[in-house]
Amino acid sequence: MDQLAALLDGPRARGAFLLRSILDPPWSLRIQDEAPLSVMAQVRGESWITFDGGEPVRLEPGQVAIARGPEPYTVADDPRTEPQIVIHPGQHCTTLDGVSLYQAMDLGVRTWGNDPEGGTVLLTGTYNLEGEVSRRLLEALPQLIVQPGDPIISLLGAEIVKDEPGQEAVLDRLLDLLLIAVLRAHFATHEAPAWYRAMSDPVVGKAMRMLHNNPAHPWTVAALAAEVGVSRASLARRFTELVGEPPMAFLTDWRLALAADLLREPDATIGSVARKVGYGSPFALSAAFKRVRGISPQEYRGVGAVR
């Protein structure tokens, strides 16, 4: 597992919300669903996406937009079109004065809009869960990304209207594939975060993968250096230069991020989580967790794992 794959494991689609919108101008949607990550693929027509205080960004056929929440934004046929519809948390859709539009705009299987023959077709996928592991990825993204998305858009468009056994799993995987393709394209053409650039380094990238794949191992810098075939000092220097933090600090952050996500599981105990992430006892995990995060694992579970 590489760094991008590991981080994508957090926002991986599991019964994600997916919808095909067919709209005829004028139309404008005020998105207030507070979702941490949304993917919009333009099939036909065009859309304009505007975050509050930002410049409108055009989405053309074959392009995909990734919007990072939870801040609200507007998607419209034209930036000047005033919002007519509000999308609330849970994908509840209403007029501006709160009247539900669920039935009125239903056009069939995962399809919604104001005209079945409308000139705009937009596919939307929403990731509703944000974990601690995925937080590092989300924090590395700008508020809005636009990149080409064909041919995955065509595949998703063909599958989104089907109602067959296992269809939810098919759509989840296609949405993940589209997300990964867009992120790869974005990081290839824009300034990528340090951890992403470090993955291509033959020494540091290998070390990062080893830490990700086996966080429970009793790693030391010396042991990690031996595995990747360099000296301890060389690894420590190179890792810090490329990633921005020493290997053991990186490992601690990774272990505690994993622990925070595992603590969300209803049947997990602090002891079982400690073993999975490389701490010898519940006390050791609790001490590290409180030192870094300011609260104990038990307190963290009490207030909720997602901010």
Side-chain angles (χ1 to χ4, degrees):
M1 181 185 294
D2 62 30
Q3 177 82 332
L4 183 57
L7 293 171
L8 285 172
D9 192 60
R12 184 175 57 198
R14 299 176 182 87
F17 174 82
L18 281 146
L19 184 71
R20 180 179 68 157
S21 299
I22 306 178
L23 300 158
D24 204 45
W27 59 270
S28 180
L29 314 176
R30 179 66 173 168
I31 312 299
Q32 298 179 175
D33 60 2
E34 301 179 4
L37 198 68
S38 295
V39 180
M40 292 165 277
Q42 195 75 36
V43 176
R44 188 170 73 226
E46 67 175 27
S47 301
W48 289 84
I49 304 170
T50 309
F51 275 87
D52 293 358
E55 291 295 320
V57 176
R58 184 183 182 189
L59 192 62
E60 300 177 350
Q63 290 186 322
V64 177
I66 295 178
R68 177 174 56 81
E71 291 77 12
Y73 55 95
T74 301
V75 183
D77 69 301
D78 187 288
R80 295 164 294 187
T81 304
E82 292 293 323
Q84 307 148 339
I85 297 169
V86 181
I87 310 298
H88 302 274
Q91 304 305 317
H92 178 52
C93 171
T94 72
T95 62
L96 295 182
D97 55 3
V99 177
S100 175
L101 293 172
Y102 176 76
Q103 293 292 339
M105 301 186 72
D106 184 9
L107 297 179
V109 177
R110 299 185 192 87
T111 303
W112 174 94
N114 61 10
D115 185 347
E117 304 299 324
T120 299
V121 177
L122 184 68
L123 309 179
T124 303
T126 300
Y127 291 82
N128 293 308
L129 294 178
E130 178 189 347
E132 290 294 327
V133 169
S134 63
R135 194 180 306 282
R136 185 189 288 257
L137 171 64
L138 295 176
E139 290 175 348
L141 300 179
Q143 203 166 46
L144 185 65
I145 293 172
V146 175
Q147 291 285 339
D150 280 334
I152 305 172
I153 292 177
S154 299
L155 289 172
L156 183 59
E159 292 289 339
I160 200 170
V161 295
K162 294 181 181 179
D163 191 14
E164 299 180 2
Q167 196 63 22
E168 185 176 280
V170 171
L171 294 173
D172 283 349
R173 299 294 75 76
L174 285 174
L175 181 60
D176 288 342
L177 183 60
L178 185 59
L179 173 65
I180 292 169
V182 172
L183 291 179
R184 279 178 174 172
H186 174 73
F187 287 149
T189 56
H190 295 74
E191 180 67 21
W195 54 259
Y196 186 85
R197 298 193 304 271
M199 286 191 297
S200 61
D201 184 84
V203 172
V204 175
K206 183 178 180 181
M208 292 171 69
R209 286 188 289 273
M210 295 183 75
L211 296 177
H212 275 124
N213 290 339
N214 194 3
H217 185 78
W219 291 110
T220 64
V221 177
L224 191 60
E227 291 287 344
V228 299
V230 297
S231 70
R232 180 183 182 281
S234 176
L235 176 62
R237 181 177 61 254
R238 192 165 176 173
F239 197 105
T240 303
E241 288 176 354
L242 294 182
V243 180
E245 59 184 340
M248 293 301 100
F250 179 87
L251 176 60
T252 296
D253 182 69
W254 178 242
R255 283 172 167 170
L256 295 181
L258 286 174
D261 279 354
L262 290 170
L263 286 166
R264 295 168 58 192
E265 302 295 330
D267 296 330
T269 66
I270 297 176
S272 67
V273 171
R275 289 189 296 273
K276 288 180 180 179
V277 301
Y279 287 93
S281 68
F283 176 79
L285 172 61
S286 296
F289 202 95
K290 189 163 188 176
R291 182 180 68 252
V292 173
R293 295 177 177 266
I295 59 174
S296 70
Q298 197 65 43
E299 291 169 327
Y300 180 83
R301 298 182 79 165
V303 298
V306 179
R307 286 182 298 193

